[in-house]
Amino acid sequence: MLKKRMEDELNKQINAEYWSAYFYLSMSAYCAGVGLAGAANWMRVQYREEIAHALKFFDYVIERGGKVELKPISEVPNEWNGIIDVFEETLKHEQIVTSLINNLMDVAIEEKDHAAKSFLQWYVDEQVEEEANVKTIIDQLQMVDGKGNGLFMIDKDLGLRVFVDSTLTVN
Ligand code: OFO
C-alpha cells in the first residue's frame, strides 16, 4: 500500500506529465504554423511520449492500491521566438522534469519505499536520454543558425521520428 505522501507526490507527477504533453502539443502547433512540418512531427511524438509517461505513473498508483486523482492542467505557452527558442525551452523544461523526478526519488528514499525507488529508476534513466536528445538537436540548430538549407535538412530529419512507447522497454 502506498503511503499518503508518496501517493500525493505521484499524483502531482501525473499532472506534470500531462502538462508536458500539452506543452509539446502546443509547440507542435507552433512549428506547423511556421512551416516546419518535421519539427511539428517531432513535438507530436514527444506529446505521445509524455502521455505514456503519465499513464505509467497512473497504472503504478493503481497497482500499489493508491488512488489516482486527476487535477486540472494549467495553461501552456503558445508563442515562441523561432525554432531555436522552441528547443531551448524544451531543454529547460526537461531539466525541470528531471528535478521533479529526483525529488520524487528523494521522497521514496525518505519513506523507505523500495518498490517506488525501483519504479522511479526508469524515469531517472529516461530523463538522461530526454535531455541528451534535445541537446543534440539544439547543437545542430545552432550550427546552421536556425535557418536556410541547414534548417531544411534538420527539419527533414525531425520528420522521421516515430513514436515508440519507451515505457514498454527497459532502458
Ligand atoms: Fe516525461 O519526460 Fe519529458 O517531460
Side-chain angles (χ1 to χ4, degrees), residues 12-64:
K12 275 191 220 157
Q13 192 58 32
I14 291 174
N15 188 270
E17 298 290 344
Y18 277 113
W19 192 91
S20 296
Y22 206 37
F23 181 60
Y24 292 129
L25 193 58
S26 184
M27 282 181 164
S28 179
Y30 171 84
C31 293
V34 295
L36 295 169
N41 168 70
W42 195 95
M43 286 297 169
R44 200 176 164 113
V45 171
Q46 190 67 14
Y47 153 79
R48 295 186 66 190
E49 276 221 355
E50 300 302 346
I51 297 284
H53 293 171
L55 288 175
K56 189 177 173 76
F57 277 113
F58 178 101
D59 289 340
Y60 185 69
V61 171
I62 291 172
E63 195 184 353
R64 293 284 307 276

Side-chain angles (χ1 to χ4, degrees), residues 1-3 5-7 9-10 56-57 60-61 63-64 101-124:
M1 190 73 181
L2 272 179
K3 286 193 186 152
R5 181 179 175 212
M6 196 75 240
E7 182 186 86
E9 294 303 318
L10 290 168
K56 189 177 173 76
F57 277 113
Y60 185 69
V61 171
E63 195 184 353
R64 293 284 307 276
I101 298 292
N102 288 340
N103 288 341
L104 267 175
M105 185 61 108
D106 289 344
V107 172
I109 291 167
E110 282 164 28
E111 296 294 332
K112 297 191 172 48
D113 189 336
H114 298 283
K117 271 165 55 187
S118 167
F119 170 75
L120 288 166
Q121 189 59 47
W122 183 90
Y123 287 91
V124 171

Side-chain angles (χ1 to χ4, degrees), residues 110-148:
E110 282 164 28
E111 296 294 332
K112 297 191 172 48
D113 189 336
H114 298 283
K117 271 165 55 187
S118 167
F119 170 75
L120 288 166
Q121 189 59 47
W122 183 90
Y123 287 91
V124 171
D125 299 338
E126 174 76 3
Q127 283 308 119
V128 173
E129 207 179 300
E130 293 256 299
E131 287 190 29
N133 290 343
V134 179
K135 181 82 179 55
T136 302
I137 296 169
I138 293 172
D139 289 346
Q140 290 174 351
L141 288 169
Q142 280 170 344
M143 257 177 243
V144 302
D145 212 10
K147 52 186 189 237

